[in-house]
Amino acid sequence: MKFKTVKPFVKWAGGKSQLLGEIRKKYPDTIERYCEPFVGGGAVLLDVLANFQPKEVLINDVNAELTNAYVQVRDNVDKLVDRLSEMQNEFWMMNEDERKEYYYKQREHFNELIGNNDSLNEKAALFIFLNKTCFNGLYRVNSKGLYNVPMGAYKKPSICDEVSIRLISGLLKNVEIMLFNSKGGNYEIQNNNRRNDFRGFLS
């Protein structure tokens, strides 16, 4: 089987993009239903979606801002791409000092939106912007739950990969996206298991 590879729209600690060659050896011949309780960057999820077209897909993560980003990519891709493109154009035109000021202003705005259900598309755009421009693509919060990763050193970061984001949006159209803690999400997925399900615990 010749596999198509889809690059995740965010970098994520523990992502499995580099291990797909080995992971693919574990795939069954067909996948009709795929469940993943800790989706993270979604390398395995996107690989399954692109190469097996399962009829049902259920994913979960414990990070509310990450799951919101998946939902916005799936449901509101036009608005999301427009905002990311705007931020990319602004960021690319700035010198280093201007970039620092811009980055920390966007980080502050993102922190204002954390934990509420307002401006979900804007919050997802900020989440992706910070992921692409922060140090090593980390997601880290302080004791108050506020994102505190410093800016990274990238000359021309790909903040808006429109072709890739739109491709992923199409792949996610029929994916059920849930937000549970590690115990709750795993319980929910375990209780939704059916015979011949393929479950991912890797990406």
Side-chain angles (χ1 to χ4, degrees):
M1 179 178 180
K2 186 176 181 180
F3 285 93
K4 295 176 284 187
T5 299
V6 179
K7 183 179 179 181
F9 66 91
V10 289
K11 297 177 282 185
W12 207 251
K16 296 298 182 290
S17 293
Q18 302 302 317
L19 299 177
L20 284 178
E22 291 301 313
I23 293 170
R24 284 166 174 168
K25 297 176 183 178
K26 308 294 184 180
Y27 289 157
D29 292 335
T30 60
I31 300 175
E32 293 192 357
R33 193 169 187 264
Y34 179 71
C35 303
E36 188 164 356
F38 311 106
V39 68
V44 178
L45 164 70
L46 296 174
D47 203 51
V48 169
L49 291 173
N51 293 289
F52 291 94
Q53 297 83 45
K55 295 177 181 177
E56 292 183 68
V57 181
L58 177 65
I59 64 172
N60 174 76
D61 204 89
V62 300
N63 188 313
E65 313 314 330
L66 175 62
T67 55
N68 175 59
Y70 275 99
V71 170
Q72 298 306 314
V73 169
R74 182 191 66 188
D75 297 344
N76 298 297
V77 68
D78 291 338
K79 186 177 180 181
L80 183 65
V81 164
D82 286 347
R83 184 69 176 106
L84 288 171
S85 179
E86 178 184 36
M87 287 193 286
Q88 177 173 273
N89 292 335
E90 291 172 348
F91 196 75
W92 282 3
M93 293 293 291
M94 295 175 179
N95 61 37
E96 185 176 354
D97 289 337
E98 291 170 334
R99 285 185 172 195
K100 286 182 179 179
E101 181 180 358
Y102 186 85
Y103 175 87
Y104 289 107
K105 181 179 179 181
Q106 302 308 322
R107 192 179 79 172
E108 181 180 2
H109 184 29
F110 176 72
N111 281 327
E112 291 171 351
L113 297 176
I114 280 181
N116 64 55
N117 292 321
D118 297 328
S119 306
L120 293 178
N121 196 268
E122 173 71 4
K123 184 163 58 169
L126 290 167
F127 177 88
I128 295 171
F129 167 79
L130 293 169
N131 177 267
K132 298 296 188 178
T133 57
C134 75
F135 178 74
N136 281 351
L138 294 175
Y139 189 87
R140 182 187 67 199
V141 297
N142 61 20
S143 60
K144 296 179 180 179
L146 300 178
Y147 183 79
N148 65 355
V149 181
M151 189 177 81
Y154 308 104
K155 291 184 177 180
K156 204 171 184 180
S158 179
I159 297 164
C160 182
D161 185 346
E162 181 174 355
V163 173
S164 179
I165 292 172
R166 289 190 181 279
L167 172 61
I168 292 169
S169 179
L171 292 173
L172 292 174
K173 284 305 178 188
N174 296 314
V175 173
E176 183 178 354
I177 301 167
M178 302 190 304
L179 171 65
F180 287 100
N181 61 33
S182 57
K183 181 179 179 181
N186 192 45
Y187 174 84
E188 183 76 13
I189 286 181
Q190 291 287 356
N191 279 271
N192 273 284
N193 280 342
R194 300 173 189 169
R195 188 178 181 182
N196 297 324
D197 278 0
F198 186 67
R199 286 171 285 163
F201 292 87
L202 297 169
S203 60

